[in-house]
Amino acid sequence: MKKKLAVALAAAMTLSGALAAVPVMAEDSDLIVVGFAQVGHESDWRTASTQSCQDVFTEDNGYDLQFVDCDNDSATQLEAIRTFIEQDVDYIIVDPIVSTGWDEALTECEDAGIPVIVIDRTIEDSDKYVSWVGSNFKTEGLAAGEWLKAYAEANGIEEINALVIEGTTGASATIGRTEGFSEIADAEGWTILDSQDGDFTQSGGQEVMESYIKSYEGQFNVVVCQNDNEAFGAIDAMTAAGISYGVDGDVILISFDACTAGLELVQSGDINADFECNPLAAPFVEEVIQQLEAGETPETEVYMEEHWYTYDDTVSTFEVDGVEQTCTVVTDEIVEAQY
Ligand code: GZL
């Protein structure tokens, strides 16, 4: 643990009776100071991610968590990192809003001797961090594509005309999910009519869906939302336009994250399938920090466990890159236990 020494000067009476200033070492802090630069507060997923860190990095557990909500602004996030360096925290956790523009700031962390742990989204232009804890976003996209392929076959749907509501441009979650789903769409000859940024928010999902309805009404039978909050917005827009969706509707609705509210809509049949992205990384991050405290070398990559949730077992299994995947039908117990 880095000692937090605040050298203070105190007056002390010398033997000769003269006053003299002598350095006094402040008490070493017993707390491990962790700076966490979080993306923002744009979604239910993000709320769960933040809560996971706030539940783990508590004073009772031996931590002083310095939390910054970067409000989806990359400049704010880099500023937060530099503030943590000035504060001389013991560790920095960052969920990078976008995947590039990081090497300079991470070099400053390295020069300051502050280990960085990346969670959730990835950094493409620097490797100056100890570990990354998160999900394989391309696998999530491939799983959505392979499930849709099996679902279309099971329901005799021969033509797929899809609209995609993407996440924040430049976010690795957006890049990976888009890449994975597009790979299956290309292989199957599906048409992706449009793919626009909904910024992972409900308002963004609604605005993009309203625009899609104006441009493509009657031409699409699949909507892919790259997180649940966008799906909530798309549902509002399709409902207002009198477009049916879900297991009994004209439009197949696919989502990602599988937060509690998303799973409730799968259970009701409004969302056909929801591809989980597990936000509860903090316990795994703490394990990395404790390994570093003990002088051990942590894993450089830690992948979270995830499930593919569906309304029923029309499709019970499918394969991603030759590996069998199992669909999980949503139950009350699953909804109750979700984040
Ligand atoms: C994915 C995460 C994304 C979620 C969204 O790991 O970065 O950001 O899918 C969130 O809900 O906004």
Side-chain angles (χ1 to χ4, degrees):
M1 172 197 315
K2 185 180 291 179
K3 300 272 181 254
K4 293 279 166 251
L5 303 182
V7 177
L9 294 181
M13 192 64 76
T14 63
L15 292 178
S16 62
L19 277 178
V22 292
V24 172
M25 290 302 185
E27 282 234 345
D28 294 354
S29 158
D30 289 334
L31 299 177
I32 296 173
V33 184
V34 176
F36 176 25
Q38 175 61 295
V39 165
H41 50 274
E42 73 287 356
S43 65
D44 293 27
W45 190 98
R46 189 62 54 198
T47 302
S49 165
T50 295
Q51 192 61 54
S52 175
C53 281
Q54 291 173 336
D55 291 346
V56 168
F57 297 111
T58 62
E59 200 163 319
D60 288 348
N61 287 345
Y63 299 95
D64 172 3
L65 179 64
Q66 299 295 311
F67 174 78
V68 175
D69 172 337
C70 301
D71 198 19
N72 232 16
D73 181 295
S74 293
T76 302
Q77 191 162 52
L78 290 170
E79 188 184 327
I81 299 293
R82 293 184 165 107
T83 301
F84 293 150
I85 293 171
E86 285 168 21
Q87 289 172 332
D88 193 22
V89 299
D90 295 308
Y91 298 93
I92 290 174
I93 301 171
V94 60
D95 187 335
I97 294 168
V98 293
S99 54
T100 55
W102 284 98
D103 196 56
E104 188 180 331
L106 294 185
T107 302
E108 292 167 25
C109 294
E110 189 174 70
D111 293 345
I114 301 175
V116 175
I117 298 152
V118 180
I119 65 169
D120 176 31
R121 299 181 188 176
T122 53
I123 287 175
E124 302 308 322
D125 65 351
S126 178
D127 60 3
K128 296 185 177 87
Y129 52 88
V130 174
S131 293
W132 166 81
V133 180
S135 305
N136 187 320
F137 303 120
K138 182 176 179 182
T139 298
E140 293 170 4
L142 288 168
E146 293 288 6
W147 172 87
L148 178 58
K149 175 186 170 188
Y151 187 83
E153 282 167 9
N155 287 282
I157 299 168
E158 294 179 2
E159 199 175 326
I160 297 290
N161 294 295
L163 289 166
V164 180
I165 302 180
E166 295 180 8
T168 305
T169 300
S172 57
T174 304
I175 295 165
R177 289 170 188 163
T178 301
E179 192 181 335
F181 185 79
S182 300
E183 189 172 299
I184 307 302
D186 293 346
E188 294 302 311
W190 299 339
T191 300
I192 294 184
L193 293 164
D194 209 336
S195 193
Q196 292 180 24
D197 178 354
D199 216 18
F200 285 134
T201 63
Q202 181 164 343
S203 59
Q206 182 168 348
E207 283 161 28
V208 172
M209 194 67 235
E210 286 168 351
S211 164
Y212 281 166
I213 290 167
K214 288 193 181 83
S215 306
Y216 305 102
E217 185 159 11
Q219 299 174 48
F220 62 93
N221 61 349
V222 175
V223 171
V224 180
C225 297
Q226 291 190 347
N227 87 324
D228 288 330
N229 293 80
E230 290 177 345
F232 305 158
I235 283 173
D236 290 344
M238 286 193 282
T239 302
I243 295 171
S244 64
Y245 46 84
V247 296
D248 296 325
D250 295 334
V251 176
I252 296 166
L253 182 54
I254 292 170
S255 186
F256 292 84
D257 281 356
C259 68
T260 300
L263 291 186
E264 286 169 342
L265 288 169
V266 174
Q267 197 177 24
S268 64
D270 293 301
I271 293 176
N272 294 75
D274 203 341
F275 296 83
E276 185 179 34
C277 180
N278 189 330
L280 309 182
F284 301 93
V285 175
E286 187 192 21
E287 205 171 308
V288 168
I289 289 176
Q290 287 303 320
Q291 288 171 324
L292 292 168
E293 286 287 298
E296 297 165 9
T297 305
E299 294 292 326
T300 53
E301 290 183 339
V302 178
Y303 282 93
M304 306 294 290
E305 183 184 347
E306 298 174 336
H307 303 83
W308 315 136
Y309 292 106
T310 55
Y311 170 75
D312 62 19
D313 58 0
T314 300
V315 175
S316 52
T317 63
F318 57 89
E319 287 191 356
V320 170
D321 292 336
V323 177
E324 183 171 275
Q325 310 288 314
T326 305
C327 294
T328 302
V329 176
V330 177
T331 62
D332 290 342
E333 293 72 26
I334 287 172
V335 172
E336 184 60 35
Q338 198 64 330
Y339 49 80

